[in-house]
Amino acid sequence: MGDVLYETSTERDFVYFPVSGIVSILEMLQDGSSSEIALIGSEGMVGISVVLGGGHQPNRAVVQSAGTAYRVPAPALYEAFHRGGVLMDAILLYIQALYTQVAQMAVCNRHHNLQQQLSRWLLLSLDRMDTNEIALTQELIAGILGVRREGITRAARVLQDQHIIEYRRGCITVVDRQRLEEVCCECYKVVRNEAERLSSRTRTRGPTN
Amino acid sequence: MGDVLYETSTERDFVYFPVSGIVSILEMLQDGSSSEIALIGSEGMVGISVVLGGGHQPNRAVVQSAGTAYRVPAPALYEAFHRGGVLMDAILLYIQALYTQVAQMAVCNRHHNLQQQLSRWLLLSLDRMDTNEIALTQELIAGILGVRREGITRAARVLQDQHIIEYRRGCITVVDRQRLEEVCCECYKVVRNEAERLSSRTRTRGPTN
DNA sequence: TGACTTTTGTGCGCGAACGCACATACAAAT
DNA sequence: ATTTGTATGTGCGTTCGCGCACAAAAGTCA
């Protein structure tokens, strides 16, 4: 956990297909601050710039929750992608889902408050895990979201007082997921619905269409 | 100007390749507020979901500055893209550039103030125009950026007092572009440099590579 | 058990942007 | 030239998150 898979502007030698765990994509600023722009779990891949052809990207990929992943050498995936067919179609659809996630982050960052954003982040994380426990300190969560630690403390407190989450040092447990969705902004559902819509396209389309 | 090319969640029947003018991609929220997530000019295309395969996207494409564009029927572009070769490579690289732009918007929305964001938006717009005049009211700019009109008024005032821009009703003129870049946050340059890097890859690579 | 480190809690002033109200200024049309 | 509609200026209270300081609690290890 905390491993950096990709550093800003270094070549992507491998592409990762997570089986479990979560990878955070963080956009970095010169002053050291950052914001998460996407969460990637088993539904996706880390390293789209390999198939897009750009070689690298100005962001950082960090393991947020430990897990396993297939690690494919970049040239191999590049070749496979360019042979077309189902793999290419699936990856292209995933890129659209990722794009939607990043776009929604941008609006969410502007219009919604910290508590809503924390809720959104918890839900997106939960969808990519097999437990309802998130083992990160508030300090780390703050770093991921690009806010201060105290802000997370206060937002988490409110959620706990409402019996939606419970937490102790370094671990948040979601105890009422439904209410969490209710207090969350719409951004979570936009991202999730679009991801579902797109992934169902993969399943329902044959290799030639 | 102000024409809506795509509405949220409607099928993309055409793909647009602007020759002049600017198209804004706006992410909409239920309460009617929105944020621009990307600006597209002659360097790009409007309607990536056609090649990515998703059919539509949960956002809106609006003409920000009138101009001309090639309008290609979606199935035709889909076919051409899937034949591979230079066109596919170029579009994939463009998608990466667009992705970078959206990602940077997300960080910028969180960490930078209104004046910096207005500066960034002016610069990104200027790069896609052949004049240094932007013919939009502050009200419209506010709507695009997803902030209040008064905020734009005050930020624009500061820039004018520094003799970086001049404006009158419905028209902003950039008179000192260099200083505008200086007062702007790094986000502009990250987006522009990445776009340049990627587009130079298109030019320097042959059809078989 | 006691000392130490890390994590979380909280108080307070600051600054930025919101939200509203209303004043002023501009430009086109009659 | 006056009217009218639209665009811009500005004042003020509110909210939200930052930034700092420090307190309290929870683990960890000797």
Side-chain angles (χ1 to χ4, degrees):
Chain A
M1 209 173 72
D3 292 354
V4 176
L5 298 182
Y6 295 142
E7 195 43 84
T8 305
S9 295
T10 56
E11 205 68 18
R12 267 61 168 154
D13 297 324
F14 294 96
V15 174
Y16 300 85
F17 291 86
V19 175
S20 61
I22 304 178
V23 175
S24 272
I25 307 298
L26 301 176
E27 199 79 10
M28 313 298 298
L29 292 177
Q30 285 165 359
D31 65 2
S33 60
S34 64
S35 284
E36 186 181 62
I37 57 164
L39 287 121
I40 302 177
S42 63
E43 84 290 354
M45 63 174 270
V46 184
I48 56 166
S49 67
V50 167
V51 301
L52 294 177
H56 57 81
Q57 280 182 297
N59 60 32
R60 185 182 279 182
V62 183
V63 176
Q64 178 198 307
S65 169
T68 55
Y70 291 107
R71 195 181 71 165
V72 182
L77 187 78
Y78 181 86
E79 289 300 323
F81 176 87
H82 278 75
R83 275 198 290 277
V86 201
L87 176 69
M88 188 176 92
D89 289 345
I91 290 180
L92 289 177
L93 279 170
Y94 173 66
I95 289 172
Q96 182 170 339
L98 186 63
Y99 176 88
T100 300
Q101 191 178 156
V102 178
Q104 202 69 33
M105 295 282 187
V107 218
C108 195
N109 279 355
R110 177 172 306 292
H111 292 286
H112 298 138
N113 63 30
L114 227 169
Q115 196 192 321
Q116 292 175 306
Q117 294 184 35
L118 174 61
S119 303
R120 185 210 60 198
W121 181 84
L122 288 171
L123 286 165
L124 287 174
S125 295
L126 235 56
D127 285 349
R128 288 161 180 78
M129 306 183 48
D130 45 11
T131 71
N132 56 344
E133 286 194 355
I134 290 158
L136 287 178
T137 64
Q138 297 181 1
E139 180 92 47
L140 287 170
I141 295 173
I144 288 170
L145 292 182
V147 298
R148 289 171 323 123
R149 194 266 311 164
E150 296 92 319
I152 298 293
T153 299
R154 280 176 242 254
R157 196 120 209 17
V158 174
L159 290 175
Q160 185 167 55
D161 291 348
Q162 295 178 278
H163 308 292
I164 294 172
I165 66 172
E166 278 172 14
Y167 61 91
R168 53 180 207 281
R169 285 167 72 93
C171 184
I172 295 180
T173 307
V174 175
V175 293
D176 191 342
R177 193 197 154 103
Q178 192 184 336
R179 288 196 54 215
L180 186 58
E181 292 190 23
E182 284 164 18
V183 300
C184 185
C185 50
E186 67 199 88
C187 298
Y188 165 64
K189 289 212 168 163
V190 170
V191 170
R192 200 199 52 185
N193 292 344
E194 182 71 355
E196 274 179 10
R197 184 180 76 82
L198 293 170
S199 77
S200 74
R201 285 211 163 202
T202 311
R203 290 195 297 273
T204 55
R205 292 200 313 179
T208 56
N209 181 26
Chain B
M1 209 173 72
D3 292 352
V4 176
L5 298 182
Y6 294 142
E7 194 44 82
T8 306
S9 295
T10 56
E11 206 66 18
R12 267 59 169 155
D13 297 325
F14 295 96
V15 173
Y16 299 86
F17 291 87
V19 174
S20 61
I22 304 178
V23 174
S24 272
I25 306 298
L26 302 177
E27 198 80 10
M28 312 300 297
L29 291 176
Q30 284 165 359
D31 67 1
S33 61
S34 65
S35 284
E36 185 181 64
I37 56 163
L39 287 123
I40 302 177
S42 63
E43 86 289 354
M45 64 173 270
V46 184
I48 55 166
S49 67
V50 168
V51 300
L52 293 178
H56 58 82
Q57 280 182 297
N59 60 32
R60 186 183 277 183
V62 183
V63 176
Q64 178 196 308
S65 167
T68 55
Y70 292 106
R71 194 181 72 165
V72 182
L77 186 78
Y78 182 86
E79 289 300 322
F81 175 87
H82 278 75
R83 276 196 290 276
V86 204
L87 177 69
M88 189 176 92
D89 289 346
I91 289 180
L92 290 176
L93 279 170
Y94 172 66
I95 289 172
Q96 183 169 338
L98 187 63
Y99 176 88
T100 300
Q101 193 179 153
V102 178
Q104 202 68 34
M105 294 284 187
V107 218
C108 196
N109 279 356
R110 176 173 306 292
H111 292 286
H112 299 138
N113 64 29
L114 225 169
Q115 196 191 319
Q116 291 176 306
Q117 294 184 34
L118 174 61
S119 304
R120 186 210 60 199
W121 182 84
L122 288 171
L123 287 165
L124 287 174
S125 295
L126 234 56
D127 285 350
R128 288 160 180 79
M129 306 183 50
D130 45 10
T131 71
N132 56 345
E133 285 193 355
I134 289 158
L136 287 179
T137 63
Q138 297 181 0
E139 180 93 45
L140 286 170
I141 295 173
I144 289 170
L145 291 183
V147 297
R148 289 172 322 125
R149 195 264 313 164
E150 297 92 317
I152 298 293
T153 299
R154 281 176 240 254
R157 196 121 211 13
V158 175
L159 290 175
Q160 185 166 56
D161 290 347
Q162 295 178 279
H163 307 291
I164 294 173
I165 66 172
E166 279 172 12
Y167 61 90
R168 50 179 209 286
R169 282 168 75 92
C171 184
I172 295 180
T173 307
V174 175
V175 293
D176 191 341
R177 192 197 156 106
Q178 193 185 336
R179 289 198 51 218
L180 186 57
E181 292 190 23
E182 285 164 17
V183 300
C184 186
C185 51
E186 68 200 87
C187 299
Y188 166 65
K189 289 211 168 163
V190 170
V191 170
R192 199 198 54 186
N193 292 345
E194 182 71 354
E196 276 179 10
R197 183 181 78 81
L198 294 171
S199 78
S200 75
R201 285 210 163 200
T202 310
R203 290 195 297 273
T204 55
R205 292 201 312 180
T208 56
N209 182 25

